[in-house]
Amino acid sequence: MTARRHVATTARLATVLLAVLAPWRLDAQSLSPRDSALHALNRLAFGPRPGEVDRVAGLGVMRWIDQQLEPERVPDDRLAERERAFKLLDLGREELALRYGDALRERREMQRNMAASGDTARRPGAGPMREFRQLGGELQQLAVVRAALSERQLREVMVDFWTNHFNVFVGKGADRFLTPSYIEQTIRPHALGRFEDLLIATAQSPAMLFYLDNAQSIAPGSVPPMRGRRPDRMPQGINENYARELLELHTLGVDGGYTQQDVIAVARILTGWGIERPQQGAGFTFRDWAHDRGEKTVLGVRFPGGHGMDEGVRLLKLLANQHATMHHVSRKLCARLVADEPPDGCVDAAVDAWHRTNGDIRAVLRAIVAAPDFWAPQVLHAKVKTPFEFVVSAVRATGAEPDDTPRLAQVVARLGQPLYLQPAPTGYPETQAQWVNSGALLGRMNVAVALAAGRLPGVTTNLDAVVPLTADRSQLTDLVNGRVLSGTMTAHTRDVIRRQLADVNDPMQARALAVGLAIGGPEFQRQ
């Protein structure tokens, strides 16, 4: 196929996709073990690998889910081997903090020298920060590799969910070196634990404290120990940024019943929650001198004066166990796992489990997948994949192998979702409206065709292990349907693929084109 024809073909297919990208329904009676396995793999994993639908159906879907909810019991040796190539996992926050401090000093020295010499042609500080731009790319690619290769798929889905729920922006200042420890020590260990513990961990995370400015929040009139600091560089008073997002996004939700006075009181309670200086390791610290020790009231609950860091922990436990928090977070979980507009029954089941178990995330997930709403015909194939989900699921569906460079993560970024680079604290949306338009679908189609043809940077594809070569176009379409789309190909997509294959004589080119069009087609975009 010529380059010109390839562009024209993918553009036409993307236009067709926009018209037919609508959910289809199965009758309740037709939800076979394979249907159930495919649904579970699409929602509780990043899609099936070749043959995995049959394996999960044979094992039993609920048994597979039980295994996924106990990831520590699931061997993951292949991923462990691949993780060794990622050097950032060998670098602790303390070492990165020192390196970042050195880079800042080097950049300032370069800027002074450039100003003195009148040299304005170069970008100041480009060199010293190169290591941290590379670190960001490695962090992004590690997320892709883990999602694509891990046997502990539900854990990776929940890491992605909580990373987005408790979003930080790796492009902001010190978060260039704080985000790796945020992912490794804050999010991942708590992804299937208790929400209360996760909330406290994020509140004490230097990455979050820096991102939402709480490290700059001090009680008015506080007198800090100077220790060589310039007075004009010191924080000047209360900063409400983290307090507001803590209530609106992380816990109660925008309609959670709090007031502006609650925001102020929360900010006062969290004064003094800060970060050590880089040369001290940039860890969490409570600065007693910066804390507001006056009396506060949050949601009608009195916090007596005279307390220190303990009242912040008490506040976070209070918020974690509010009914509004249970409803808000449960609704987001159901939106991620069930439907963009989550059914009330799913949310109610999740909230009930939260009440019973004190916020045990595994119990909440069990309640969601045990609810009839999770398996209802109207929610099957009803969600559109995010760019991250699309790229990872395409890699998994073709049995491809991502490499250790940031190139595959850059593909995700080009499709509109650069990992850890969402500046807004809301994180990336997970609903269809954000991701479905003709330009986005054309981009996905191009990625799919390039992946199947072995031309996508950052990944090695071996279609021989997925779809056998055949010159019979009808047989080829059936093989792609069964082995790549798990039998979900519609008659419309089948006809489109057969028409595109009509004058492709080379069996290898025909196979690559058929797989690419299937992955770029409407069935694969939905989960």
Side-chain angles (χ1 to χ4, degrees), residues 362-383:
R362 298 184 206 219
V364 173
L365 293 176
R366 285 184 193 277
I368 290 173
V369 299
D373 288 322
F374 183 81
W375 306 99
Q378 61 267 29
V379 307
L380 301 178
H381 313 290
K383 285 184 62 67

Side-chain angles (χ1 to χ4, degrees), residues 392-435:
V392 171
S393 63
V395 169
R396 287 174 61 78
T398 55
E401 185 79 13
D403 66 20
D404 307 327
T405 73
R407 294 181 297 176
L408 198 55
Q410 290 165 359
V411 172
V412 178
R414 288 198 298 273
L415 292 178
Q417 194 183 10
L419 301 177
Y420 313 119
L421 282 170
Q422 168 58 276
T426 50
Y428 286 110
E430 295 182 354
T431 55
Q432 174 174 329
Q434 174 70 19
W435 307 116

Side-chain angles (χ1 to χ4, degrees), residues 41-103:
L41 284 163
N42 275 330
R43 298 300 179 81
L44 307 177
F46 286 98
R49 291 173 294 192
E52 195 164 18
V53 171
D54 289 328
R55 289 196 295 273
V56 171
L59 175 68
V61 174
M62 298 311 295
R63 184 177 176 187
W64 177 81
I65 292 173
D66 285 341
Q67 291 177 350
Q68 290 294 307
L69 285 167
E70 302 288 342
E72 58 278 1
R73 299 184 180 182
V74 177
D76 214 1
D77 297 339
R78 182 186 178 200
L79 176 62
E81 179 64 30
R82 287 297 310 276
E83 284 179 331
R84 294 191 181 98
F86 290 87
K87 301 305 180 186
L88 72 87
L89 295 177
D90 299 325
L91 300 174
R93 186 194 63 248
E94 296 82 357
E95 182 174 352
L96 287 174
L98 291 174
R99 291 188 183 189
Y100 186 75
D102 290 342

Side-chain angles (χ1 to χ4, degrees), residues 101-121:
D102 290 342
L104 285 178
R105 285 188 291 274
E106 184 180 345
R107 185 173 68 175
R108 286 195 292 267
E109 182 65 25
M110 287 178 63
Q111 291 170 335
R112 284 193 294 268
N113 293 339
M114 289 167 62
S117 65
D119 181 5
T120 58

Side-chain angles (χ1 to χ4, degrees), residues 105-414:
R105 285 188 291 274
E106 184 180 345
R107 185 173 68 175
R108 286 195 292 267
E109 182 65 25
M110 287 178 63
Q111 291 170 335
R112 284 193 294 268
N113 293 339
M114 289 167 62
S117 65
D119 181 5
T120 58
R122 290 180 299 160
R123 289 181 59 192
M129 287 298 161
R130 184 178 295 112
E131 177 184 7
F132 294 94
R133 287 195 295 275
Q134 293 171 344
L135 186 73
E138 189 174 353
L139 185 66
Q140 292 172 327
Q141 184 68 7
L142 178 58
V144 173
V145 168
R146 281 169 161 168
L149 301 183
S150 179
E151 298 293 336
R152 302 165 180 175
Q153 280 285 291
L154 180 54
R155 184 189 188 204
E156 297 306 321
V157 168
M158 292 309 299
V159 167
D160 180 52
F161 175 83
W162 293 123
T163 300
N164 202 50
H165 182 77
F166 295 105
N167 181 59
V168 302
F169 176 45
V170 74
K172 180 180 178 179
D175 275 333
R176 291 181 173 91
F177 75 87
L178 291 172
T179 302
S181 64
Y182 180 68
I183 302 300
E184 297 304 314
Q185 278 83 52
T186 300
I187 298 295
R188 293 185 67 83
H190 296 96
L192 289 170
R194 293 174 65 240
F195 180 79
E196 178 182 294
D197 297 332
L198 174 59
L199 182 65
I200 293 171
T202 59
Q204 294 180 343
S205 165
M208 182 66 73
L209 291 168
F210 182 85
Y211 170 56
L212 291 178
D213 306 313
N214 201 82
Q216 300 298 312
S217 187
I218 68 172
S222 298
V223 179
M226 295 310 297
R227 297 178 186 170
R229 299 184 185 184
R230 289 169 48 185
D232 61 342
R233 296 274 182 94
M234 294 305 300
Q236 299 302 308
I238 290 177
N239 189 302
E240 298 175 12
N241 286 357
Y242 176 61
R244 182 172 291 104
E245 307 306 351
L246 174 64
L247 299 180
E248 179 179 332
L249 300 177
H250 299 172
T251 58
L252 303 174
V254 67
D255 299 319
Y258 63 91
T259 67
Q260 174 59 22
Q261 291 306 309
D262 289 320
V263 173
I264 295 171
V266 168
R268 291 175 59 206
I269 288 173
L270 294 174
T271 50
W273 287 47
I275 309 170
E276 294 173 333
R277 302 176 74 179
Q279 55 266 44
Q280 297 171 320
F284 169 77
T285 186
F286 177 73
R287 298 174 297 183
D288 187 78
W289 61 264
H291 184 62
D292 183 333
R293 291 187 169 272
E295 182 176 310
K296 305 100 175 172
T297 300
V298 178
L299 304 176
V301 177
R302 177 174 172 265
F303 287 74
H307 285 262
M309 179 180 161
D310 61 302
E311 67 177 359
V313 175
R314 180 190 170 200
L315 166 73
L316 294 166
K317 291 181 177 181
L318 171 70
L319 293 175
N321 291 286
Q322 289 292 301
H323 181 81
T325 298
M326 300 179 193
H327 189 273
H328 173 62
V329 179
S330 293
R331 194 177 193 283
K332 284 193 68 175
L333 281 166
C334 290
R336 171 66 182 257
L337 300 176
V338 182
D340 287 358
E341 291 297 326
D344 291 340
C346 173
V347 179
D348 291 343
V351 170
D352 287 346
W354 195 313
H355 271 294
R356 289 196 313 271
T357 65
N358 234 5
D360 184 289
I361 295 169
R362 298 184 206 219
V364 173
L365 293 176
R366 285 184 193 277
I368 290 173
V369 299
D373 288 322
F374 183 81
W375 306 99
Q378 61 267 29
V379 307
L380 301 178
H381 313 290
K383 285 184 62 67
V384 173
K385 296 173 182 177
T386 66
F388 179 58
E389 291 169 333
F390 167 69
V391 170
V392 171
S393 63
V395 169
R396 287 174 61 78
T398 55
E401 185 79 13
D403 66 20
D404 307 327
T405 73
R407 294 181 297 176
L408 198 55
Q410 290 165 359
V411 172
V412 178
R414 288 198 298 273

